[in-house]
Every structure is written in structure tokens, then in C-alpha cells.
């Protein structure tokens, strides 16, 4: 298993940018670590690192080999975990992409608890509201709202009942009043979300008898960051149209109030998405189960009727 240990050292040193730091983390001496890298380079007949007195960086060949080393270690770790069964300790690295508001507001504390339960698992979290190309993004799974945009992607449901809701702070409602009907949003300051160059100016609803309703909204604030929109709503600057998961705790704590609850907002189901089923190993399955439980605890907003699924934003 010496070759496997050398491979783990190589991956860790590349991530930390320091051979001595990798040695300390693996509880080996710098001399042993240096000998392991030299042994690996000799076996590959390739120089993997450029070393200086202050830094360590992978060569072009090292960068190319690093991707293969990651996948090899992932496959080995998953093989061991499969043999050991569901109770096996999770190891390796799990790379996750998530929307800004969900990531900062909910996912950070949730992942703290998940990692505390699986201390040998390393997490790498990418937060952005921009829909990156998951085939190019260096992630194993992405948390995304709405139906998968590409049928070739693997989508694991996390919270199918999630949808968008209208919310505002008590301070804003005391100042501007509460809209009795979605049509009244035209007379309110609406906090809008922008995805790429697409400004979300049509807020869509479904009535109790299933009829669609689209309202053109306007306001003095626009952001491409869902967390900024939520913070503006909390600060009393206007009405937001947000995913229930993003504001459920704020509603429960009365920091925000639900508006026009008789009209269902756009469905916004949450999925774990992966470009390749081979990336969905034990860590992803356990993370999904963990997230399903956490989302279920937040519940779904009233009312119970729902409109047809469509891509959701923000």
C-alpha cells in the first residue's frame, strides 16, 4: 500500500501547496514525505512539483496527473466504503456547488454538522448564483433549484415540495401596507433577482383552481446574489420573491411575513445534480439523506395546491 500512501501525499501536498504541511497532517517527517514524492516521480518518470524555499506548485504534468490521482483515490475510497457497508467512515474529498443564499444561510451550518459526523471527509464548497457548466466545474455534485436543465444530468431530489413565496419585513409592511392580491405588487417596491443577464421581472403564481397568473414587477434594487435580495427584504427595503427554504427560518422567527398565501408561487424543487453517476458515491448518498431530513424539518409553505413545474431562479 506504499504506492497508495504516496498518491495520497501527492494530492494533499498539491492542495496545501506545501510538502511540509502535508507531512504534518499525515504525521510523517518531511524527509519521509520528500522521499515519497521522489519515489512517485521516479515511477512516473515525470517531475510533479516545482519546489522553492517558500512554495510548492505542481508542474503542468503534475496538474494533469492530479485529476487522475483524485479519481483513483475516490474510486478506491468508495470501494472500501462499499465493502464495509453503510456504517463505514466516509473519507476523501467531496466537492459541492450551491446557490449563494442557500449556501450561506443554511448549508454552512448544515455541513458543519455533517462533517462533525464524518470527520475524515474533506469538503470543498463553491457558492454562486451563476449556473456554471457542471461538466466543466470541478465539483462532484451541485445543489440547484428547479428541474434539471439537461436531461443527461443525474438529478437526486432533495426537497420536491419547495417553491417560491412572497415575503416582506414587518417594518416594510407597516410603512407600505401588505398587498391583498399579487396584482397589487405593481404598487410596491419589489426586490428583483438577476441571473446572468436575465432580469426576473415576471413573478408567476397559480390560483387555487389552477389558473396561472404573471405579474410584472418593478423596484429600485436588483442583484445577481440571492443572499443580497434576502438581506434587503430583512432590512425593510421591499418585497422579495424567494425560495421557501431560503426564508423559512426568517418566517418562523417573524423577521419576515408571508404575503398572498392563497396564491402558490413557482415550484422550485431542490436537487443534487451530478454530470456522471460514477461521481455519486457513498458520501453523496449520505449527504443527500442528511439534506432531505434537514429540508423536511423546515416544511413546505401553505397552501397545499401547486402549479406545474418550471425552471426557477434565485
Amino acid at each position: 500500500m506504499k504506492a497508495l500512501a504516496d498518491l495520497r501525499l501527492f494530492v494533499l501536498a498539491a492542495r496545501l501547496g506545501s510538502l511540509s504541511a502535508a507531512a504534518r497532517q499525515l504525521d510523517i517527517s518531511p524527509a519521509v514525505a520528500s522521499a515519497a514524492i521522489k519515489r512517485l516521480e521516479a515511477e512516473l518518470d515525470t517531475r510533479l512539483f516545482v519546489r522553492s524555499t517558500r512554495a510548492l506548485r505542481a508542474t503542468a504534468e503534475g496538474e494533469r496527473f492530479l485529476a487522475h490521482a483524485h479519481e483513483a483515490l475516490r474510486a478506491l475510497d468508495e470501494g472500501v466504503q462499499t465493502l464495509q457497508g453503510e456504517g463505514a467512515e466516509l473519507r476523501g474529498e467531496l466537492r459541492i456547488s450551491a446557490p449563494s443564499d442557500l449556501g450561506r444561510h443554511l448549508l454552512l451550518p448544515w455541513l458543519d454538522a455533517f462533517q462533525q459526523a464524518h470527520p475524515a471527509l474533506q469538503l470543498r464548497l463553491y457558492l454562486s448564483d451563476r449556473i456554471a457548466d457542471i461538466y466543466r466545474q470541478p465539483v462532484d455534485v451541485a445543489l440547484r433549484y428547479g428541474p434539471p436543465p439537461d436531461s443527461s444530468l443525474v438529478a437526486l431530489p432533495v426537497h420536491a415540495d419547495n417553491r417560491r413565496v412572497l415575503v416582506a419585513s414587518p417594518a416594510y409592511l407597516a410603512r407600505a401596507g401588505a398587498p391583498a392580491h399579487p396584482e397589487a405588487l405593481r404598487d410596491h417596491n419589489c426586490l428583483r433577482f438577476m441571473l446572468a443577464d436575465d432580469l426576473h421581472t415576471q413573478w408567476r403564481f397559480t390560483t387555487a383552481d389552477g389558473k396561472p397568473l404573471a405579474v410584472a414587477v418593478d423596484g429600485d434594487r436588483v442583484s445577481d446574489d440571492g443572499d443580497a435580495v434576502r438581506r434587503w427584504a430583512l432590512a425593510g427595503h421591499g418585497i422579495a420573491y424567494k425560495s421557501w427554504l431560503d426564508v423559512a427560518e426568517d418566517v418562523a422567527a417573524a423577521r419576515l411575513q408571508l404575503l398572498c398565501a392563497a396564491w402558490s408561487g413557482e415550484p422550485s424543487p431542490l436537487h443534487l445534480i451530478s454530470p456522471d453517476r460514477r461521481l455519486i458515491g457513498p458520501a453523496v448518498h449520505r449527504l443527500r439523506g442528511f439534506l432531505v431530513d434537514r429540508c423536511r424539518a423546515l416544511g413546505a409553505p401553505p397552501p397545499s395546491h401547486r402549479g406545474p413545474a418550471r425552471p426557477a431562479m434565485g
Side-chain angles (χ1 to χ4, degrees):
M1 300 292 281
K2 184 176 288 186
L4 180 58
D6 292 351
L7 202 59
R8 290 193 188 280
L9 172 65
F10 163 66
V11 170
L12 184 59
R15 181 168 66 85
L16 298 177
S18 168
L19 189 58
S20 59
R24 285 194 299 272
Q25 191 162 322
L26 295 174
D27 197 23
I28 60 177
S29 71
V32 169
S34 180
I37 295 299
K38 289 179 180 177
R39 183 167 54 242
L40 186 58
E41 289 177 327
E43 185 174 343
L44 296 171
D45 193 24
T46 301
R47 190 177 185 187
L48 297 174
F49 288 118
V50 175
R51 302 170 180 82
S52 70
T53 56
R54 294 188 176 183
L56 181 82
R57 65 176 178 82
T59 62
E61 295 81 4
E63 287 287 355
R64 289 197 296 269
F65 182 64
L66 183 60
H68 296 287
H70 268 298
E71 294 308 315
L73 290 174
R74 183 193 312 281
L76 286 169
D77 287 335
E78 289 179 2
V80 171
Q81 290 161 15
T82 300
L83 287 175
Q84 294 176 343
E86 286 297 317
E89 183 179 28
L90 296 180
R91 294 185 175 275
E93 183 180 67
L94 183 58
R95 300 167 296 178
I96 309 164
S97 172
S100 166
D101 200 359
L102 178 74
R104 296 191 183 108
H105 182 51
L106 292 177
L107 200 57
L108 282 177
W110 288 358
L111 288 181
D112 284 344
F114 185 74
Q115 197 161 23
Q116 188 173 9
H118 306 285
L121 182 67
Q122 298 174 4
L123 297 178
R124 185 172 296 193
L125 180 63
Y126 300 85
L127 297 180
S128 175
D129 281 324
R130 292 186 176 274
I131 300 180
D133 185 347
I134 196 171
Y135 291 104
R136 296 180 180 272
Q137 196 176 20
V139 298
D140 302 308
V141 288
L143 276 163
R144 287 192 182 164
Y145 288 124
D150 185 341
S151 60
S152 67
L153 295 172
V154 182
L156 304 176
V158 174
H159 196 54
D161 293 335
N162 188 55
R163 60 182 175 82
R164 296 170 68 86
V165 294
L166 286 174
V167 291
S169 72
Y172 175 82
L173 297 176
R175 185 173 70 251
H181 189 284
E183 296 282 4
L185 291 170
R186 294 187 174 93
D187 300 322
H188 283 267
N189 194 50
C190 294
L191 308 170
R192 294 169 295 164
F193 179 76
M194 180 173 60
L195 185 62
D197 295 325
D198 185 11
L199 179 58
H200 198 195
T201 59
Q202 293 279 332
W203 290 1
R204 302 179 186 278
F205 306 87
T206 304
T207 62
D209 57 1
K211 295 180 180 179
L213 173 66
V215 181
V217 298
D218 200 358
D220 63 2
R221 294 165 194 252
V222 174
S223 179
D224 64 351
D225 187 299
D227 186 44
V229 173
R230 173 177 160 271
R231 289 174 183 269
W232 282 339
L234 288 169
H237 295 303
I239 296 176
Y241 190 43
K242 293 286 296 174
S243 157
W244 167 250
L245 290 176
D246 293 340
V247 297
E249 291 183 343
D250 295 319
V251 171
R255 293 186 292 266
L256 294 173
Q257 293 182 18
L258 283 175
L259 307 173
C260 300
W263 290 264
S264 287
E266 287 182 283
S268 187
L270 184 65
H271 293 87
L272 268 176
I273 295 177
S274 175
D276 192 326
R277 192 167 296 277
R278 289 173 296 181
L279 296 177
I280 303 178
V284 173
H285 283 295
R286 289 206 218 172
L287 176 65
R288 180 202 177 195
F290 176 85
L291 294 177
V292 166
D293 290 342
R294 292 299 176 109
C295 289
R296 187 182 294 123
L298 293 177
S304 59
H305 66 271
R306 295 173 177 83
R310 53 179 288 126
M313 298 189 297

